[in-house]
C-alpha cells in the first residue's frame, strides 16, 4: 500500500498592507520568508472540508479543485498525539524500536502515571502506553510485596500462594524475628511462616505473636509452595 500523496502547502498574503503579516504555515526561517506577489484578484475561498471562508490567508491547494483551510489540513494530514489527541506540528516523539505505537508531542511523552520524562530515554510499555520503571511494575503487578521493599522485580521472582510477588530473598517467614526464606512454607490465616513458626513455637515469648496455641494454629495451617518465575526484560524499550 502506498501512502496517499500529500498536497503541497501554499500561502497567500493578505491583500491589505495595513494588516499584520500572516504567520507562515510552514514555519520558514524567520523574517525573510519568500512571499508570492499577489497579482490575482482577491476572491474569498471556502474550505472544502469545513465550508468556512478562509480569511487568514492560509490555505492549501488540494489535488483537483478546491482549497482547504490550515486547520482542516493539519487535522487531516498531520499526526495526532496519543496522549492529548491534538495535532503534532513539530518534534514528534515515537518509539525507536516500534514497540510503542503512534506519536507524541515532546512534552506529552512521559510516564502515563507520574508524568515524569524519561531522562535516559528508556521507558516501559504497558497496554500500549509509556511508563517509568516503577509505574510499569505497578501496572504489571510486579512490585515486591514485602513491606520493607516495594521495589520493581526484574529477574527472579517468587510468587506466594495468593499471587503476591516478591524478590526471592524478600519472601521470608513473617515471624518478627525470623528471616528464613520461604520455599515450602505454611500459610496460617493468610500469613506465611517457616516450619518452626507455623507451629507456634516461640521461645522468645513475643506478646504480639499471634500463634500462641500450637494445636489451633496447626489446624489452620495450609502447606504452601513458592512458585518461582522470571520477570527479566519485561516491557522495556527505548
Ligand atoms: Zn476548514
Ligand atoms: Zn500531546
Ligand atoms: Zn512514573
Ligand atoms: Zn523486594
Ligand atoms: Zn520463621
Amino acid at each position: 500500500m502506498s501512502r496517499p500523496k500529500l498536497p503541497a502547502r501554499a500561502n497567500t498574503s493578505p491583500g491589505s498592507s495595513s494588516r499584520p503579516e500572516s504567520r507562515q504555515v510552514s514555519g520558514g526561517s524567520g523574517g525573510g520568508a519568500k512571499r508570492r506577489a499577489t497579482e490575482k484578484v482577491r476572491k474569498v475561498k471556502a474550505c472544502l472540508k469545513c465550508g468556512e471562508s478562509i480569511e487568514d490567508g492560509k490555505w492549501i491547494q488540494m489535488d483537483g479543485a478546491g482549497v482547504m483551510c490550515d486547520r482542516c489540513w493539519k487535522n487531516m494530514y498531520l499526526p495526532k498525539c496519543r496522549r492529548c489527541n491534538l495535532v503534532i506540528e513539530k518534534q514528534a516523539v515515537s518509539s525507536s524500536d516500534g514497540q510503542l505505537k503512534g506519536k507524541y508531542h515532546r512534552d506529552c511523552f512521559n510516564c502515563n502515571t507520574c508524568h515524569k520524562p524519561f531522562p535516559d530515554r528508556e521507558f516501559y510499555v504497558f497496554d500500549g502506553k509509556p511508563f517509568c520503571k516503577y509505574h510499569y511494575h505497578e501496572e504489571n503487578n510486579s512490585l515486591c510485596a514485602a513491606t520493607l521493599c516495594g521495589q520493581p522485580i526484574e529477574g527472579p521472582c517468587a510468587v506466594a500462594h495468593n499471587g503476591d510477588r516478591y524478590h526471592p530473598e524478600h519472601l521470608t517467614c513473617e515471624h518478627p524475628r525470623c528471616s528464613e526464606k520461604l520455599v515450602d512454607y505454611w500459610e496460617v490465616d493468610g500469613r506465611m511462616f517457616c516450619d518452626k513458626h507455623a507451629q507456634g513455637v516461640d521461645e522468645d515469648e513475643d506478646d504480639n505473636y499471634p500463634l500462641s496455641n500450637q494445636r489451633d494454629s496447626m489446624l489452620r495451617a495450609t502447606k504452601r509452595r513458592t512458585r518461582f518465575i522470571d520477570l527479566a526484560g519485561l516491557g522495556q524499550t527505548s
Side-chain angles (χ1 to χ4, degrees):
M1 288 276 281
S2 62
R3 300 178 60 187
K5 187 168 145 264
L6 297 188
R9 295 169 167 208
N11 291 293
T12 56
S13 68
S16 161
S17 59
S18 63
R19 286 169 63 183
E21 282 202 340
S22 68
R23 191 170 55 81
Q24 297 282 311
V25 176
S26 55
S29 55
K34 290 189 207 116
R35 302 182 71 83
R36 243 172 250 167
T38 47
E39 285 146 15
K40 288 180 199 161
V41 182
R42 251 208 306 161
K43 191 172 101 185
V44 178
K45 290 180 183 296
C47 172
L48 276 175
K49 185 87 177 158
C50 65
E52 290 189 21
S53 59
I54 300 167
E55 282 161 356
D56 61 1
K58 291 187 283 188
W59 50 268
I60 292 89
Q61 182 70 53
M62 304 306 290
D63 277 346
V67 297
M68 223 185 244
C69 74
D70 190 41
R71 189 168 47 88
C72 290
W73 187 87
K74 285 175 177 169
N75 258 319
M76 280 189 74
Y77 292 104
L78 293 185
K80 294 206 178 60
C81 175
R82 296 252 296 173
R83 172 70 58 78
C84 70
N85 209 32
L86 298 176
V87 159
I88 306 173
E89 296 194 39
K90 52 184 177 179
Q91 291 188 319
V93 176
S94 56
S95 164
S96 58
D97 63 5
Q99 276 211 48
L100 186 68
K101 303 270 177 283
K103 291 183 162 66
Y104 292 77
H105 289 116
R106 202 180 208 160
D107 290 342
C108 290
F109 188 68
N110 48 41
C111 172
N112 206 58
T113 302
C114 67
H115 302 306
K116 287 194 184 119
F118 310 115
D120 50 9
R121 300 184 64 196
E122 212 173 71
F123 59 94
Y124 292 68
V125 179
F126 189 90
D127 196 21
K129 297 176 188 114
F131 288 91
C132 70
K133 180 174 175 173
Y134 183 86
H135 288 114
Y136 165 78
H137 285 282
E138 187 179 73
E139 293 289 320
N140 191 48
N141 184 30
S142 45
L143 291 174
C144 180
T147 22
L148 291 175
C149 178
Q151 291 304 302
I153 306 167
E154 294 188 345
C157 171
V159 186
H161 62 281
N162 56 4
D164 279 356
R165 294 170 172 185
Y166 296 80
H167 294 110
E169 67 273 24
H170 291 155
L171 176 55
T172 55
C173 174
E174 292 192 52
H175 183 278
R177 278 182 302 282
C178 182
S179 58
E180 186 168 318
K181 282 184 230 161
L182 299 180
V183 178
D184 287 306
Y185 63 91
W186 294 94
E187 181 215 335
V188 184
D189 298 338
R191 301 180 72 195
M192 296 175 282
F193 297 99
C194 66
D195 283 346
K196 183 177 144 194
H197 292 117
Q199 294 167 33
V201 174
D202 189 17
E203 58 269 35
D204 301 321
E205 290 183 17
D206 186 328
D207 288 339
N208 298 322
Y209 189 54
L211 308 177
S212 51
N213 184 320
Q214 176 175 340
R215 203 192 322 147
D216 192 35
S217 75
M218 280 319 281
L219 282 174
R220 287 180 285 125
T222 312
K223 188 79 174 164
R224 300 289 194 180
R225 176 166 256 274
T226 304
R227 197 157 54 88
F228 291 96
I229 58 175
D230 196 337
L231 297 182
L234 284 180
Q236 204 164 356
T237 188
S238 61

